[in-house]
Amino acid sequence: MNTKQIFSSLLFLLSILVLIPWFIATSGRWDLYYTLTSVALLAIASAGVWLTFYIGRINIGQGAFALLGGYITAILITKAHFSFWIALPLSGIGAALISVLIGLPILRLRGVYFAMITLVLTEVGRLSALALPITNGAKGISNIPLPGKVSLFGIPIIPDFATLENPRIGFYFLAVCLMILCFAVVFRLVHSRLGHLCRSMQQNEELTASIGVNIAYIRIIIYALCSFMGGIGGSIFAVMSQSIYPSSFQVADSINFMLNCFLGGLGYVFGPMLGTVVLYFGWDLLFQTGKYQMLIYSSLLILCMLILPNGLLSLRLPGRKNS
Amino acid sequence: MEQILVNGAYLGAQYALIALGLTLIFALMNVLNFAHGQMYVLGGFVTYTIYGQLGMPYALALLVTAVSLAVVGAVVERFLFRPVIRRSQRDESTMLLAAGLGFFLDAVILLLFGEKQRGVPKLIDGVFNWDFRVIMPHDRILIGCLAVGCIVLFILFMHFSKTGRALRALAQDRDAAQLMGVDVDRYSMTGFALGAMLAGIVGGLLVTITGVNLGMGGPTSTKAFMMVMIGGAGVIPGAIVGGVILGFMESILLSALASYGDVTYLLIFVSLMIFLAIRPNGLMGKPWG
């Protein structure tokens, strides 16, 4: 990392951890917390999708794992009375384990085949949630309690969310911190040896395999990591909205995760974050246009693709060297 | 049992026609057309307007539907997909465009036709009844036959016309086709128009039976993807086989599992995933599309 990168990441941390809460406190727009938390959670799940793009797979199945993570958390908290702080990593790990099982066969598929099978996987997730007895069918699971407090040697680290005067602040910091963590992990991974191997897989899998890289192993690792992020995102989403339904994450959400990555740019680690922010707020801002909302939104999307087919981050300021 | 088979054949003919358009576009341009379901809905609404609202003859309505959807497809290829394919670094970028196009068509349909379920008067009355073993309304038989007729016409067209030969060459090897003097740009546009037209025709056919509404687009796309996967992406006979298989599976499983609740689609999806794990290219697909 050079000084410029360190400076910009510090600026970024400062703005989301200090400036945004300060802005919200002064302007009184408390509803922004909910929106921003959702954006952070969706960005976490999109980062996972971006990772699978990085090994050259089009993943439209993240919705299934987000749903799975949400249901694992909901069931562990309401039925087994686990603490949220244990259920959260467990749902990520659960999603990752399931993804290894599913990934072993389906990761052999490539290109559109993988895209279509993951799309089907999202449908499978929704239909399983409807059909299985433990998920309570279409009624879903509601009244999930807020996260409790965590203390280490008697010193409270995280307060009970229910005692906070506004639990949304708690969720905001939780989601934002996890988002920073996830993107830091992805950034580190991309600039590691594994990242180089992923890039070579993206270009030519046979060639990569021929120089002695265990591509099956890398695919599984990346896919598990992707699903882990999906599970985490879904888990917090379930607790924040205190409910989960089979329709919480469906095909449209899976497609949106993919669109976030495309819009931000597939070649840039922070592409999914930017894409999520732009898509989510773009949709919200267009709400005033009423029935033309969808028309304008989709036209802008198409226009974006026509002008910047390689994502928003491929936009370079004039005079700056293209890298 | 006979009833189930007849239902399966009827569904299969419809499905095969939808999958044909999708697979054609995919074979020619390597584009996964997310907007295929929306094109189908648009076709349904055009037929509804001309046949149901204006009271024109059904044949004319179907013709206008085919032509208008072909125009939509050609415009979309010429002004959206072609520039993006030329300029983008990765093939997958077209998927964002296709998804955006799907949203766009949804919005256009919502503004033009509203969100209500629309139906048209029956084409012909009467029910075919064979000893209470096979009961089939006459209009369903007619639509089924029309669908099969369209499939046969399409296959003949692809095999024996100059355009069809050019399209097949393009699907096989783009560069080689260009070297042989095939105008790649023009035939890509023709192929896209043809694919969109097929989607529109199915919409026009089915509007007489199930009616049409805005929400049908997405699920139709998902089903079309499944059929294409069963048969193998980019292969024309594969799409027909896939459509027929899905049609029969749906009709058989729906009646066999009626007592277990709504698990038919779950079962179809799961068996599809197992099938693809064993045979990743579908029944007759090219390796890796």
Side-chain angles (χ1 to χ4, degrees):
Chain A
M1 273 223 225
N2 53 32
T3 36
K4 204 173 159 194
Q5 276 175 320
I6 294 175
F7 181 70
S8 46
S9 33
L10 278 178
L11 198 69
F12 175 72
L13 286 182
L14 185 76
S15 57
I16 60 171
L17 289 178
V18 181
L19 286 181
I20 288 182
W22 175 78
F23 170 75
I24 290 175
T26 47
S27 65
R29 289 281 311 272
W30 295 99
D31 56 309
L32 266 180
Y33 270 129
Y34 185 84
T35 328
L36 286 170
T37 314
S38 309
V39 169
L41 295 177
L42 295 176
I44 292 174
S46 304
V49 177
W50 186 86
L51 263 183
T52 43
F53 269 115
Y54 208 62
I55 58 166
R57 293 287 198 281
I58 310 161
N59 184 353
I60 330 178
Q62 188 71 320
F65 292 105
L67 193 66
L68 181 69
Y71 266 110
I72 292 178
T73 304
I75 290 167
L76 283 181
I77 291 181
T78 54
K79 304 244 162 86
H81 303 290
F82 273 55
S83 156
F84 166 73
W85 303 106
I86 299 170
L88 175 64
L90 278 183
S91 24
I93 292 168
L97 284 179
I98 298 280
S99 82
V100 170
L101 277 183
I102 297 175
L104 276 174
I106 69 166
L107 277 167
R108 292 167 56 216
L109 304 171
R110 287 181 211 183
V112 270
Y113 288 95
F114 187 78
M116 290 192 281
I117 193 99
T118 44
L119 186 75
V120 169
L121 188 65
T122 315
E123 268 306 285
V124 170
R126 190 179 68 86
L127 290 171
S128 316
L130 274 174
L132 289 178
I134 195 164
T135 55
N136 206 9
K139 287 200 287 288
I141 298 173
S142 47
N143 289 328
I144 303 170
L146 289 169
K149 73 173 176 198
V150 175
S151 50
L152 197 66
F153 307 120
I155 308 158
I157 301 172
I158 302 164
D160 191 341
F161 275 35
T163 59
L164 288 178
E165 67 182 300
N166 192 342
R168 283 176 182 173
I169 302 178
F171 279 113
Y172 174 74
F173 280 104
L174 173 65
V176 160
C177 290
L178 272 175
M179 179 181 81
I180 294 168
L181 197 67
C182 281
F183 277 89
V185 167
V186 173
F187 184 82
R188 184 71 197 88
L189 192 144
V190 165
H191 291 88
S192 69
R193 185 169 176 275
L194 188 60
H196 289 294
L197 295 181
C198 293
R199 263 200 302 288
S200 65
M201 278 174 72
Q202 181 189 320
Q203 280 159 9
N204 191 333
E205 283 197 4
E206 280 80 16
L207 201 59
T208 316
S210 74
I211 53 172
V213 178
N214 189 349
I215 54 168
Y217 175 73
I218 294 180
R219 294 196 292 232
I220 292 288
I221 292 280
I222 296 288
Y223 194 53
L225 209 56
C226 154
S227 310
F228 183 85
M229 292 183 188
I232 293 273
S235 162
I236 305 178
F237 219 97
V239 174
M240 184 173 69
S241 54
Q242 296 193 291
S243 60
I244 181 115
Y245 305 98
S247 56
S248 296
F249 292 99
Q250 42 193 346
V251 173
D253 298 282
S254 284
I255 292 180
N256 275 337
F257 289 137
M258 182 188 74
L259 293 186
N260 293 339
C261 298
F262 273 128
L263 193 70
L266 293 179
Y268 311 90
V269 177
F270 298 100
M273 201 193 292
L274 182 71
T276 316
V277 172
V278 171
L279 270 189
Y280 200 98
F281 278 97
W283 177 250
D284 267 10
L285 283 178
L286 288 175
F287 185 73
Q288 287 123 9
T289 55
K291 64 177 181 173
Y292 297 105
Q293 185 183 19
M294 191 68 164
L295 191 70
I296 299 173
Y297 176 77
S298 52
S299 314
L300 286 178
L301 215 58
I302 293 173
L303 216 64
C304 253
M305 215 54 221
L306 279 177
I307 301 167
L308 295 167
N310 299 315
L312 287 178
L313 281 176
S314 66
L315 196 68
R316 291 267 174 239
L317 295 172
R320 223 170 115 183
K321 211 177 87 186
N322 280 6
S323 51
Chain B
M1 193 62 210
E2 290 90 344
Q3 179 69 44
I4 295 168
L5 290 182
V6 170
N7 281 347
Y10 161 76
L11 271 177
Q14 309 287 359
Y15 284 174
L17 207 53
I18 303 178
L20 269 182
L22 189 70
T23 212
L24 180 70
I25 292 175
F26 175 71
L28 293 178
M29 326 258 309
N30 217 1
V31 166
L32 193 55
N33 187 12
F34 275 101
H36 207 68
Q38 276 77 15
M39 289 178 173
Y40 154 85
V41 173
L42 189 62
F45 271 116
V46 172
T47 307
Y48 158 77
T49 310
I50 292 172
Y51 171 64
Q53 298 253 286
L54 303 178
M56 306 274 196
Y58 181 67
L60 181 73
L62 211 54
L63 194 71
V64 173
T65 308
V67 171
S68 52
L69 261 291
V71 169
V72 168
V75 167
V76 160
E77 200 280 333
R78 176 68 188 81
F79 294 105
L80 297 179
F81 281 97
R82 195 181 298 174
V84 170
I85 289 175
R86 205 174 49 232
R87 298 218 316 261
S88 111
Q89 284 161 358
R90 293 179 64 167
D91 305 342
E92 295 101 328
S93 302
T94 54
M95 288 176 72
L96 171 62
L97 185 61
L101 184 67
F103 290 143
F104 181 77
L105 286 181
D106 256 344
V108 169
I109 295 167
L110 179 68
L111 288 177
L112 288 181
F113 302 103
E115 53 194 319
K116 282 199 195 107
Q117 163 86 22
R118 304 283 189 189
V120 294
K122 266 180 183 289
L123 284 176
I124 38 174
D125 284 323
V127 175
F128 171 78
N129 188 344
W130 178 48
D131 209 16
F132 285 99
R133 284 203 279 183
V134 177
I135 301 170
M136 200 78 177
H138 279 154
D139 55 347
R140 283 195 183 220
I141 298 174
L142 177 72
I143 294 299
C145 293
L146 276 177
V148 173
C150 285
I151 294 173
V152 171
L153 262 181
F154 177 76
I155 293 174
L156 290 179
F157 174 76
M158 286 303 275
H159 271 267
F160 296 111
S161 73
K162 189 163 179 262
T163 316
R165 268 200 296 277
L167 289 177
R168 277 188 297 142
L170 212 58
Q172 227 168 44
D173 191 326
R174 212 178 169 83
D175 295 331
Q178 198 163 19
L179 286 173
M180 294 298 120
V182 175
D183 187 345
V184 170
D185 281 348
R186 202 184 74 190
Y187 283 108
S188 296
M189 194 160 97
T190 317
F192 212 103
L194 207 59
M197 190 178 89
L198 284 175
I201 288 178
V202 192
L205 289 176
L206 276 184
V207 73
T208 59
I209 294 179
T210 51
V212 64
N213 67 57
L214 187 61
M216 282 161 84
T220 309
S221 289
T222 313
K223 268 187 193 168
F225 290 160
M226 286 173 56
M227 295 175 247
V228 166
M229 274 193 287
I230 295 174
V235 192
I236 284 163
I240 298 171
V241 172
V244 171
I245 290 179
L246 188 72
F248 274 100
M249 268 176 92
E250 226 173 77
S251 100
I252 292 172
L253 286 178
L254 271 179
S255 68
L257 296 173
S259 50
Y260 296 100
D262 198 12
V263 291
T264 311
Y265 281 95
L266 187 58
L267 208 67
I268 291 181
F269 285 136
V270 171
S271 49
L272 177 68
M273 293 188 72
I274 295 170
F275 166 72
L276 279 181
I278 300 164
R279 222 186 133 72
N281 303 330
L283 284 176
M284 38 183 90
K286 299 178 282 186
W288 315 129

